[in-house]
């Protein structure tokens, strides 16, 4: 055995140079293969987004004021909770990945985004969901009796349905989802001061009892804190239809339960998340009801005013209440700021108003008159720091991203899958390794998105890119959904590099629905110089341009309509998402 061992060792020593040589060739080949795979990957070195809305120019802030909305762009369906001096707020995210943005504040004015509640694949399974599906209407609540935060929501994807996740510390991440054993949408969780817990949610009426289209009910369940599950058999309908069932109210939803002065208050959205949207309130001496509506409902809406008012805010509703730092109540809610053609390209945004609860019923202060673009800070709040020192900006602002840190800003999101699956930081900027997926497919795309936050804005980006074939394309995409978008990118046709602008939209409904794409303009482009691409808008008018010197932009395609980027044209619930896009599944082939 000793001789055999020696012989084996000796032979291995003689083979070492050969093995090393083969290994070096293999590694060299692998490295070369990797480089070839990435040779069609664009590298983005800078993005500059600038908001220029006239309302903020006309209404500069005075001392002690801050702007409404708090969160501009597609940050809808806000819910809020408080632990001590800390406030946490979450919003809907649909198929954006990571999901459920979470914000922190000490004063309700200055907010930082601390991450996302659903930030890994085990929590968020939206890879095959259309953009109008995914995560809806999250609720966040702190339970002081077990020192735990709960986020409960509906995830229309991944066979999830209604789910709850938990944490002791929102700064440190959340548990995997626990699937709830009830149907319906918009769950809200409530912790009573006697240690009991309840879940309320929107649902369809009992079978055979639906009286009209849009007829919905609010249900309540007891919640078992030990097993994190509703208690079977405890469900009860506590609102049937809405405030006045004789008027066939539609879409009673987004319920939140509160307790004040020994009474239980149920606040809900009513009227649907559109022009008839509103917030209504009910009261009971028992969480299981019966609940009596306030005589002064609605307590918040913008539906009673003309379309021609200045600085129009509309669709107000879907609210949540919290006690502020001045011991006064405040309500966060969604609203929209439509442009001059009543388009909703910035999507549904998060607003805030003080709430007068000095009497029997809470009422949003100035929530039943046309809303103003700014309001007074809560008493005792010393400084408005929005846009400074890491606090989330609002009003008009400039955001510059050089991609020189691997800590990517939370404002950048993927679609249906993690950003980390396609981005790579290099010494020259952010590289997007393209998927063989087109923006029109219901799959994870290799696109890094930023929300449009102003009606008037500019978005400029600089990239280094050389497509290898007509299947390669990189540039900017403006997407309301997979069926409504503009692609402004560079591809290769024959031996020429081409810049093109493509418009995609869906027409018709049901079986007659067809998605069509049209190339609006194209031009040859010289890629020996650094290329900058731009999209800018003024209301409904969008323009796309390019530059080879980083300063002077040349328009391509003239002025185009932002109609397909509007929620009330394309449908769904998001706003326009501006993406850094790369694909090896390009289908836009310009003729020249």
């Amino acid at each position: 055995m000793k001789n055999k061992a020696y012989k084996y060792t000796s032979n291995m020593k003689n083979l070492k140079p050969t093995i090393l040589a083969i290994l070096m060739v293999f590694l060299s080949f692998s490295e070369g293969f990797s480089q070839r795979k990435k040779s069609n990957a664009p590298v983005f070195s800078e993005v500059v987004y600038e908001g220029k809305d006239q309302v903020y120019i006309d209404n500069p802030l005075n001392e002690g004021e801050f702007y409404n909305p708090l969160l501009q762009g597609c940050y809808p369906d806000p819910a809020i909770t408080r632990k001590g001096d800390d406030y946490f707020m979450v919003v809907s995210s649909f198929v954006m990945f990571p999901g459920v943005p979470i914000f922190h504040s000490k004063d309700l004015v200055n907010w930082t985004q601390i991450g996302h509640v659903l930030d890994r694949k085990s929590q968020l399974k939206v890879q095959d969901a259309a953009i109008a599906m995914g995560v809806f209407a999250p609720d966040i609540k702190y339970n002081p009796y077990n020192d735990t935060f709960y986020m409960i929501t509906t995830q229309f994807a991944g066979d999830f349905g209604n789910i709850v996740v938990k944490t002791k510390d929102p700064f440190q991440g959340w548990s995997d989802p626990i699937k709830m054993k009830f149907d319906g949408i918009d769950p809200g969780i409530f912790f009573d001061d006697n240690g009991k817990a309840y879940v309320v949610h929107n649902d369809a009426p009992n079978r055979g009892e639906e009286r009209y289209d849009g007829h919905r009910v609010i249900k309540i369940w007891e919640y078992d804190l030990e097993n994190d599950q509703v208690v079977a058999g405890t469900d009860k309908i506590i609102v049937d239809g809405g405030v006045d069932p004789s008027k066939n109210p539609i879409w009673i939803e987004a319920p939140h339960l509160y307790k004040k002065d020994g009474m239980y208050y149920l606040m809900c959205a009513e009227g649907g998340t559109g022009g008839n949207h509103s917030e209504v309130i009910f009261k009971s001496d028992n969480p299981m009801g019966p609940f009596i509506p306030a005589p002064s409902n609605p307590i918040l809406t913008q539906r009673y005013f003309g379309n021609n008012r200045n600085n129009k805010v509309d669709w107000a509703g879907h609210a949540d209440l919290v006690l502020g730092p001045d011991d006064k109540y405040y309500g966060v809610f969604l609203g929209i700021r439509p442009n001059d053609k009543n388009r909703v390209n910035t999507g549904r945004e998060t607003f805030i108003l003080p709430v007068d609860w000095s009497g029997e019923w809470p009422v949003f202060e100035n929530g039943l008159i046309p809303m103003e673009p700014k309001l007074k800070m809560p008493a005792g709040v010393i400084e408005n720091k929005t846009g400074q020192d890491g606090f989330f900006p609002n009003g008009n602002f400039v955001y510059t991203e050089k991609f020189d840190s691997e800590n990517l800003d939370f404002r950048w999101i993927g679609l249906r899958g993690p950003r980390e699956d396609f981005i790579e930081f290099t010494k020259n900027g952010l590289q997007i390794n393209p998927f063989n997926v087109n923006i029109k497919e219901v799959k994870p795309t290799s696109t890094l998105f930023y929300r449009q936050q102003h009606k008037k804005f500019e978005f400029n980006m600089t990239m280094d890119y050389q497509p290898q074939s007509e299947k390669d394309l990189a540039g900017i995409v403006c997407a309301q959904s997979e069926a409504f978008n503009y692609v402004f990118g560079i591809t290769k046709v024959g031996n020429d590099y081409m810049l093109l602008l493509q418009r995609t939209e869906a027409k018709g409904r049901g079986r007659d629905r067809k998605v069509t794409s049209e190339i609006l303009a194209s031009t040859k482009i010289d890629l020996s110089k650094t290329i900058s691409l731009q999209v800018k808008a003024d209301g409904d008018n969008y323009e796309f341009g390019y530059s080879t010197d980083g300063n002077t932009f040349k328009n391509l395609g003239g002025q185009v309509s932002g109609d397909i980027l509007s929620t009330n044209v394309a449908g769904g619930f998001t706003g326009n998402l501006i993406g850094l896009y790369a694909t090896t599944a390009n289908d836009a082939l310009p003729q020249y």
Side-chain angles (χ1 to χ4, degrees), residues 111-176:
W111 292 87
T112 54
Q113 185 172 357
I114 61 173
H116 294 79
V117 175
L118 306 178
D119 59 5
R120 55 190 186 272
K121 291 181 179 179
S122 61
Q123 298 172 309
L124 191 59
K125 299 182 179 182
V126 292
Q127 64 272 12
D128 55 1
I131 202 168
M133 302 299 285
V135 177
F136 282 69
D139 183 30
I140 184 171
K141 287 294 175 285
Y142 171 67
N143 184 0
Y145 300 98
N146 60 5
D147 189 29
T148 302
F149 290 85
Y150 293 73
M151 193 285 295
I152 188 168
T153 190
T154 308
Q155 186 173 159
F156 285 110
D159 193 34
F160 267 139
N162 293 301
I163 58 171
V164 67
V165 294
K166 305 189 298 180
T167 186
K168 293 286 187 180
D169 184 355
F171 291 93
Q172 298 299 320
W174 296 72
S175 70
D176 275 349

Side-chain angles (χ1 to χ4, degrees), residues 170-464:
F171 291 93
Q172 298 299 320
W174 296 72
S175 70
D176 275 349
I178 301 164
K179 187 174 179 179
M180 297 286 95
K181 296 179 181 178
F182 61 87
D183 296 324
I185 62 170
D186 293 6
I189 197 163
F190 169 70
F191 304 107
D192 207 343
D193 53 16
N194 59 9
K196 290 186 176 180
Y198 302 86
V199 167
V200 288
H201 65 94
N202 160 292
D203 207 346
N206 293 331
R207 182 173 295 181
E209 295 181 7
E210 185 172 353
R211 300 189 298 272
Y212 53 89
D213 189 30
H215 176 202
R216 292 297 183 271
V217 302
I218 300 298
K219 284 185 179 179
I220 189 168
W221 301 72
E222 293 181 17
Y223 185 80
D224 181 349
L225 286 164
E226 292 295 322
N227 297 300
D228 284 308
Q229 192 56 258
V230 293
V231 179
T234 63
D235 57 309
K236 181 182 179 183
I237 293 175
I238 51 175
V239 174
D240 184 1
V243 168
D244 187 350
S246 69
K247 295 182 178 179
N248 291 350
I250 61 172
W251 293 109
I252 190 76
E253 57 190 359
H256 292 286
L257 198 59
Y258 312 95
K259 190 174 186 180
K260 184 176 183 290
D261 299 331
M263 299 297 291
Y264 297 87
Y265 292 83
L266 178 71
M267 191 172 73
C268 306
E270 188 181 278
T273 184
N276 202 44
H277 207 199
S278 68
E279 198 70 15
V280 296
I281 191 88
F282 305 79
K283 185 177 72 169
S284 176
D285 59 4
N286 189 305
M288 303 299 287
F291 279 88
I292 307 301
S296 55
N297 277 318
I299 59 173
L300 168 70
T301 191
Q302 294 286 288
R303 69 189 178 204
Y304 299 126
F305 315 116
N307 287 329
N308 296 324
R309 61 189 186 275
N310 292 332
N311 305 322
K312 180 181 177 183
V313 174
D314 211 350
W315 299 12
H318 198 119
D320 195 10
L321 303 179
V322 72
L323 191 63
D326 54 356
D327 289 327
K328 181 182 179 67
Y329 280 89
Y330 289 81
V332 292
F333 56 96
L334 75 81
I336 62 160
R337 296 174 298 142
N339 65 28
D340 55 321
K341 292 191 176 178
N342 211 35
R343 314 282 198 211
V344 190
N345 296 37
T346 49
R348 300 176 305 153
E349 305 173 298
T350 288
F351 290 75
I352 188 170
L353 280 177
V355 172
D356 182 355
W357 207 342
S358 58
E360 182 180 4
W361 300 97
V363 177
F364 284 76
E365 294 183 13
N366 298 325
L368 297 173
I369 63 174
M371 287 181 57
E372 297 292 333
K374 58 182 184 177
L375 64 160
K376 293 290 185 182
M377 296 195 299
V381 179
I382 299 172
E383 188 177 359
N384 183 343
K385 297 180 180 179
T386 51
Q388 308 169 40
D389 304 326
F391 289 102
F392 210 71
N394 64 6
N396 284 335
F397 58 85
V398 178
Y399 169 63
T400 301
E401 177 60 78
K402 293 185 177 292
F403 300 114
D404 52 3
S405 168
E406 294 194 12
N407 295 318
L408 189 61
D409 193 286
F410 293 127
R411 283 172 278 189
W412 293 102
I413 43 111
L415 205 63
R416 304 188 187 90
R419 307 170 300 181
E420 293 74 19
D421 284 357
F422 59 86
I423 65 171
E424 185 176 336
F425 288 92
T426 74
K427 64 180 180 179
N428 296 319
L430 184 79
Q431 178 171 292
I432 293 185
N433 298 318
F435 293 161
N436 188 31
V437 175
N438 194 286
I439 193 66
K440 291 177 276 189
E441 297 182 75
V442 182
K443 297 177 181 178
T445 69
S446 43
T447 317
L448 196 62
F449 283 105
Y450 183 94
R451 296 164 176 84
Q452 179 181 332
Q453 297 179 288
H454 297 80
K455 289 179 277 188
K456 185 175 183 179
F457 75 91
E458 284 189 10
F459 179 97
N460 300 332
M461 69 82 162
T462 301
M463 73 173 179
D464 180 19

